[in-house]
């Protein structure tokens, strides 16, 4: 007996047979829904929303009510970790995250700590998870998440978004000892943070490695995968999903992680990914989010093409990265309905 009215995603992760593929969208909470923007504009900004559990829970449940997805993802941000470690951030309208202080040397490491009471500093996250679980009332499972250590390192050293993250990358070569020390600290806090989310009720956790694609295979093995692997080894309570965007070169290595699901982006061919990763993991993805700017019939046919490539049962339908903010929610619904109407054979 399942605790959920809809447990398609959990069954799929375990490799059990289901009648149809589960579907949800990365960045479904926030961004696209007018209902989200209404909540957001009643507050001072993004951070207040993240830090107000009642409102965070409300926008987490919106996509379940309005779009009909098979899982909720808790409304928060990966950047709560640097902040808890001692580097506060601001979310600047139309620009993105900005950090007043950054880490660029061994001496700078004194600005941050991994010896922190995570449950106290990030208390608003488990609180939001508990409220969300109450509101979901067993309808669908809830996904918790974190940034992968390398991706968090990018923001802590660069201090803002970037196309190349060249300040972050150069540190790996200039000061590998400091880089490893910071990655180790981020990993320690992240493991505690994920356990906190799981204790509060997260049914699955996803690790977002948004910037793995800018490293070479050698650097990713040393500075990226190593720490993702430590997180996977430490989390045994619930299934773990690893989404290493752009790490097409690391798919065989990703297969050896102690995680149940691997996210793939739209650059990665589904059938090739299945061959490289093997049959023992669930794959999640990978429609190009820009397909949702096409007309309805194109969205339908491209979604069906994706589903036809899945080949076996162990797939979760999703986009290959987050849904773009200016996507029409009706187009998102078309994607979701196409998946729901597609019978597995
Ligand atoms: O998936 C969800 O809907 C849950 C909520 C969620 C947010 N951020 C809310 C958010 C999740 C899972 C994230 C993850 C996140 N945050 C990542 C990894 C995923 C990815 O897209 O690669 C990264 C790199 C960040 C850091 C971040 N947060 C950036 C670069 C920005 C600005 C640009 C953007 O993505 O909108 C944010 C802001 C942010 N995080 C918003 C939301 C809804 C938009 C802020 C707003 O409403 O003003």
């Amino acid at each position: 007996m399942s605790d959920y009215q809809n447990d398609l995603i959990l069954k799929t992760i375990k490799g059990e047979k289901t009648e149809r593929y589960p579907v949800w969208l990365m960045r479904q909470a926030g961004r696209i829904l007018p209902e989200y923007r209404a909540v957001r504009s009643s507050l001072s900004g993004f951070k207040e929303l993240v830090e107000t559990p009642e409102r965070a829970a409300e926008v987490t449940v919106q996509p379940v009510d309005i779009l009909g997805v098979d899982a909720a993802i808790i409304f928060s941000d990966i950047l709560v970790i640097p902040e808890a470690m001692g580097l506060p951030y601001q979310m600047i309208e139309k620009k993105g995250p900005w950090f007043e202080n950054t880490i660029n040397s061994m001496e700078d490491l004194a600005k941050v700590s991994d010896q922190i009471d995570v449950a106290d500093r990030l208390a608003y996250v488990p609180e939001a998870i508990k409220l969300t679980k109450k509101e979901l009332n067993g309808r669908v499972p809830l996904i918790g998440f974190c940034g992968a250590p390398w991706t968090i390192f990018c923001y802590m050293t660069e201090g803002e978004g970037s196309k190349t993250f060249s300040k972050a990358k150069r540190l790996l070569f200039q000061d590998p000892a400091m880089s490893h020390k910071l990655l180790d600290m981020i990993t320690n806090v992240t493991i505690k943070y994920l356990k906190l989310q799981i204790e509060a009720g997260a049914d699955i956790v996803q690790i977002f490695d948004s910037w793995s694609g800018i490293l070479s295979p050698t650097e990713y093995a040393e500075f990226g995968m190593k720490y993702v692997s430590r997180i996977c080894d430490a989390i045994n309570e619930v299934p773990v999903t690893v989404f290493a965007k752009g790490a097409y070169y690391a798919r065989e290595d990703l297969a050896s992680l102690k995680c149940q699901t691997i996210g793939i982006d739209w650059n990665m061919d589904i059938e090739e990914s299945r061959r490289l990763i093997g049959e023992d993991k669930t794959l999640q993805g990978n429609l190009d989010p820009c397909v949702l700017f096409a007309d309805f019939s194109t969205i339908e046919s491209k979604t069906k093409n994706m589903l036809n490539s899945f080949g076996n049962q162990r797939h979760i339908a999703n986009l290959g990265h987050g849904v773009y903010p200016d996507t029409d929610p009706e187009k998102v619904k078309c994607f979701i309905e196409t998946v729901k109407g597609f019978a597995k054979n």
Side-chain angles (χ1 to χ4, degrees), residues 102-106 108 156-158 167 171 174-175 178:
T102 55
I103 308 291
N104 289 289
S105 65
M106 255 327 169
D108 284 347
M156 290 176 86
T157 55
E158 196 90 23
K167 283 187 203 146
L171 276 171
Q174 235 168 25
D175 199 343
M178 173 260 156

Side-chain angles (χ1 to χ4, degrees), residues 7 78 88 99 109 115 123 184 287 303:
D7 62 353
I78 63 169
F99 290 82
L109 286 175
Q115 301 302 308
D184 177 64
L287 196 75
T303 302

Side-chain angles (χ1 to χ4, degrees), residues 27-29 31 36 40 46 76-78 91 155 210 321:
R27 314 299 292 271
Q28 68 188 14
R31 280 196 156 178
Y36 163 77
R40 165 103 158 60
F46 174 73
S76 186
D77 202 86
I78 63 169
M91 194 57 78
Y155 288 101
S210 306
H321 199 192

